[in-house]
Amino acid sequence: DSGPEAHDTSVIVLGFDGMDWELANRLMDEGKLPALAALAARGNAQPLATALPPQSPVAWSDFITGLDAGGHGIFDFIQRDPGTMVQYLSTSATEGPGARLEWGSWQIPLSGGKVKLLRRGTPFWEVLQAAGVPTTIVRIPADFPPTGTAGRELSGMGTPDLLGGYGTFTFYTTRPERLPEDLSGARVVRVAFEDQAFRGRLAGPPNPFRVDGAELSVDLEAYRDTERPVAKIVVDGTDVLLNPGEWSDWIPVSFPAVPLLVGVKGMVRLYLGQVHPDFELYVSPINIDPLDPVMPVSHPADFAAELARTAGRFYTQGMPEDTKAFTSGVLDEEAFLEQSDFITAEQVRQYDYLLERFEGGLLFYYFGFLDQASHVMWHPMDPEHPAHDAERDVRYAGVIEDLYIRADSIVSATLERLGPDEMLVVMSDHGFTSWRRAVNVNTWLLESGYLAVKDPALRGEGVFFSNVDWSRTQAYALGFSGIYVNLRGRELVGTVPSDQYRLLRDEIGRRLSRLVDPATGERAVTEVFIRDDAYEDAGARERGPDLVIGYAKGIRASDGTVEGRVSREVWEDNTAKWSGDHIMHPDAVPGVLFSTRRLRRPVESLRDLAGALVAEFGIETFPIPASDTTSADDGR
C-alpha cells in the first residue's frame, strides 16, 4: 500500500489545542505571529472544520482515526451505560484484577488489572508504522493507554492522576470556609498549628493489597517561621522551603501498599499561598511518575523515563493546568499563569529533545496551553462578558495573545531546524470564542414536559439525576451536547416505546431548535443534529446521544446540565472564570491548518487531515472503516 517515497518523507505535525482561526488571523494581520504568517505565505493556511460536537476527545478522535463519532465511539467527555445509568469518562476504563488470594485483611491479586482504551478505529500512525515509516506520537489526546502501534508514544489528555480521575488536588488551609461548599476535584484539609507546626497526611489511592481498599497516605508536615513569611514543608521525607507565592519542583512520593515491600509511586508539586495569619498550601494532583509509572503512559514503557531523564520530570496528567484550583480561588491569576508557564516549558524542553533527534518519518507533538488558558482567561479580553471586571482584568487582557505569540515562537524554532525536504504542519482541533450564556437543558426538558422530578422543592439540588423521576421521564440531557430518549428496553427505566421513538426525538429537536435566549431575543441553538443522520460512520453510532445540540456562538450547556442537575432556571449568565469555550455549533469554532506546502490530498475537516498526512507517504488506504476493525458493543 505504500509508494517508494514512504521511507523518504519527513513530516512534523504541531497540534495546538484550541488555536482559533479568527483570532490567529487577526494577530497575523497585526504582525504578532510572524512564523505563522510566513507559513501562510510560503505554503498553505486555511480554517479546519472541527468535529461534531467540538469537544476535544471527540475532535482528536476524528483526527486520529479519520472517522466521525459514529465510527470511533467518542461522543463527549462523559458517556453512560444505558442499562445501569452509570456515567463514565468516555475515552478509557479501568478493569480491576481478576482472582485474588485473601489472607485476613490482605489480598494478593493473582492477575493484574488493566486500563482499556475505548476509542475505536485504526489510528493513522499504525498504518504508517506498518508501512515502515518511523512514528513518534507525543501527548495526543484520547490515546490513554497508548496503543503501542507507533514507534514511540506518550499519552496525553485522558491520562488520569494517581487517584484515577482527571485531576484531584489537595488544599491545606486554616480557613476552609472561604472555599465554595460544592468544590469538586479537590480534597480540602483543615489545618491546626501547634507551636507553629502541623503534622498531617497526604491521601493517596486505595490500597490494592487491602481487602477493604483502605486509603494509602504519606506524611505531610508544615513548619511556620514565627517572624518571617516562610514555611518548611516536609512531604514523605522530602524537605522544601517555600515563600508565599512560590512553587516547588517535583517531589517524588511513595505510598506504602505493603510495608517494607511494595510502594505505589507518584509525584507532586507544591504552591504556598499564605503563611500568616492564615496558612494555605496547594498540593497538585498526584501525577504518575514517568521515572517509575504505575500505569502505562508510554510505548515503549521506558520512553517516558527517557524523556524525564533528559528533559526533567513532567506532568503526566492529561490536562495539567489546574483550572479547577484557579476557578475555585485556591490559585490566583499569577499562580495559575506561572503554573501554565512551567508546564509549557516542560513540554518545550521535551519537544526540543525530540526535534534535535528527528531523523525522518512522522513526529507529532501536542501543546495544550492555548486551550486551558483560553477557557479561564477569556473574560479579561472580552468587555461584553458577564464576568469581565475592567479594573481587575486590565492587567490580564493580553494573556491569550501572549500565548499565541508563545505558540508562534515554537513554530519559528521548528522552521529554523526544518530540513529542505521536511514538511511542517500546524493544526488545531477546534477554535475558541466567548461563553456568555448558559442553558440548563434538563430544566428546559422539565418545563417542556419531557422530564419529571420527584420533588419540585429540590430543583437545583443534587447531581447525577438524583431528583429525576424516571418512571415519568421521556428524555434527559447528559454531558455537554447530548440528549437521550428514555427508550424502553435500552435505558434502565425506559418509558418510551420503540414505535414512538422517532416521533418524540424529532419533536424535541424541532422545539429545541426554536429556543430563544430571553436576554437577547436571538436563537440559542443553531442546529439540532439527529444522531443517525449526522454521523456517516457506523460501528459505534448506537452509543451516542439521540440528539446533539449545536449551540449558537456564545452559548453553551450549563455545568448543571453536564452534571445531571435539574436547575431552577433555564437560563443563566456565565459569571464564572471559565469564560471561553468551543462546545457550540461546529461552524462557530473552526480550527486552523497551516503547512509549508499544500497537502496532496484536499483537506476540509479534521477527519480529512490524517488521511492526507498518510497520503504524503504514498499510502492511500486510510481511513479504515471502524466496522472492519471493531464490533458494536459498548466498548467497555
Side-chain angles (χ1 to χ4, degrees), residues 223 273 283 444 483 485 522 599:
Y223 301 91
V283 181
W444 179 84
I483 292 180
V485 172
E522 297 179 355
L599 292 157

Side-chain angles (χ1 to χ4, degrees), residues 80 85 441-453 465 468-478 482-488 490-491 493-496 500-501 503-509 512 545-547 566:
R80 96 298 183 217
M85 292 305 293
V441 184
N442 282 308
T443 307
W444 179 84
L445 289 169
L446 172 69
E447 296 187 357
S448 301
Y450 300 115
L451 183 144
V453 294
F465 307 106
V468 169
D469 182 349
W470 293 110
S471 68
R472 296 186 294 124
T473 289
Q474 296 177 294
Y476 60 96
L478 175 66
I483 292 180
Y484 297 83
V485 172
N486 192 26
L487 185 62
R488 187 180 298 168
R490 183 184 72 178
E491 257 63 15
V493 190
T495 61
V496 179
Q500 296 179 22
Y501 166 77
L503 186 66
L504 177 67
R505 178 200 66 187
D506 295 350
E507 177 186 303
I508 294 172
L512 188 58
D546 300 298
L547 296 167
V566 184

Side-chain angles (χ1 to χ4, degrees), residues 565-631:
R565 182 183 295 123
V566 184
S567 303
R568 294 192 176 275
E569 303 292 337
V570 173
W571 286 97
E572 58 188 70
D573 278 336
N574 176 27
T575 58
K577 292 178 182 176
W578 190 280
S579 51
D581 219 290
H582 46 84
I583 307 178
M584 299 162 194
H585 193 282
D587 292 349
V589 284
V592 306
L593 178 62
F594 297 86
S595 55
T596 47
R597 57 174 170 78
R598 285 194 176 275
L599 292 157
R600 300 177 188 180
R601 184 187 290 186
V603 173
E604 293 184 0
S605 70
L606 276 170
R607 291 177 62 203
D608 304 327
L609 181 54
L613 291 173
V614 170
E616 290 296 312
F617 294 86
I619 303 169
E620 301 294 340
T621 56
F622 192 86
I624 298 172
S627 56
D628 292 350
T629 58
T630 56
S631 62

Side-chain angles (χ1 to χ4, degrees), residues 110-414:
L110 299 180
S111 61
K114 63 179 181 179
V115 183
K116 182 180 181 181
L117 177 66
L118 300 182
R119 190 198 69 238
R120 301 179 178 199
T122 302
F124 67 86
W125 58 80
E126 181 175 332
V127 175
L128 290 174
Q129 193 72 29
V133 178
T135 54
T136 299
I137 308 295
V138 179
R139 207 173 275 106
I140 197 167
D143 190 43
F144 175 81
T147 64
T149 56
R152 296 180 295 180
E153 286 176 75
L154 180 69
S155 63
M157 185 187 301
T159 307
D161 64 8
L162 210 60
L163 301 184
Y166 280 161
T168 300
F169 66 87
T170 307
F171 188 54
Y172 296 85
T173 176
T174 52
R175 195 163 60 95
E177 55 272 10
R178 81 168 184 83
L179 299 175
E181 291 184 4
D182 59 348
L183 179 58
S184 61
R187 290 176 166 179
V188 180
V189 180
R190 181 182 290 274
V191 171
F193 280 88
E194 294 184 8
D195 297 327
Q196 304 303 320
F198 162 75
R199 295 174 179 85
R201 308 286 291 175
L202 173 64
N207 190 339
F209 296 96
R210 295 278 302 186
V211 173
D212 58 4
E215 196 173 67
L216 295 169
S217 65
V218 296
D219 291 331
L220 185 144
E221 303 167 13
Y223 301 91
R224 297 192 294 192
D225 190 284
T226 56
E227 298 178 359
R228 297 175 300 158
V230 63
K232 183 175 79 169
I233 315 298
V234 185
V235 184
D236 196 24
T238 299
D239 294 8
V240 181
L241 199 64
L242 293 175
N243 295 300
E246 192 172 16
W247 284 89
S248 75
D249 203 345
W250 284 111
I251 301 171
V253 291
S254 181
F255 297 93
V258 179
L260 305 178
L261 293 176
V262 178
V264 178
K265 296 184 179 180
M267 58 182 191
V268 296
R269 294 190 81 148
L270 313 180
Y271 175 79
L272 184 63
Q274 297 185 56
V275 177
H276 299 289
D278 294 309
F279 179 83
E280 294 187 347
L281 175 70
Y282 162 91
V283 181
S284 73
I286 306 165
N287 275 236
I288 298 167
D289 188 344
L291 290 173
D292 195 358
V294 299
M295 285 186 273
V297 296
S298 69
H299 169 79
D302 62 355
F303 180 46
E306 175 191 343
L307 293 173
R309 286 193 299 268
T310 56
R313 276 190 168 97
F314 56 90
Y315 276 91
T316 51
Q317 177 193 331
M319 291 187 285
E321 290 88 354
D322 204 334
T323 56
K324 176 62 71 174
F326 173 53
T327 56
S328 64
V330 169
L331 298 179
D332 62 14
E333 284 86 354
E334 299 301 326
F336 173 78
L337 293 173
E338 188 176 358
Q339 184 199 38
S340 178
D341 186 63
F342 61 65
I343 290 169
T344 304
E346 287 178 350
Q347 295 174 4
V348 169
R349 288 196 301 270
Q350 273 185 14
Y351 175 60
D352 287 345
Y353 169 77
L354 294 170
L355 189 61
E356 288 173 2
R357 288 155 182 78
F358 180 61
E359 296 180 348
L362 183 133
L363 168 62
F364 174 92
Y365 201 97
Y366 167 93
F367 292 96
F369 58 88
L370 285 180
D371 178 86
Q372 293 298 286
S374 293
H375 275 303
V376 297
M377 298 298 292
W378 197 274
H379 58 284
M381 70 173 188
D382 178 12
E384 302 301 319
H385 196 281
H388 183 80
D389 182 318
E391 182 177 349
R392 180 199 64 201
D393 289 339
V394 63
R395 63 185 298 187
Y396 303 111
V399 163
I400 293 176
E401 180 178 305
D402 290 344
L403 291 174
Y404 272 73
I405 293 170
R406 180 80 177 267
D408 193 73
S409 71
I410 296 170
V411 175
S412 177
T414 306

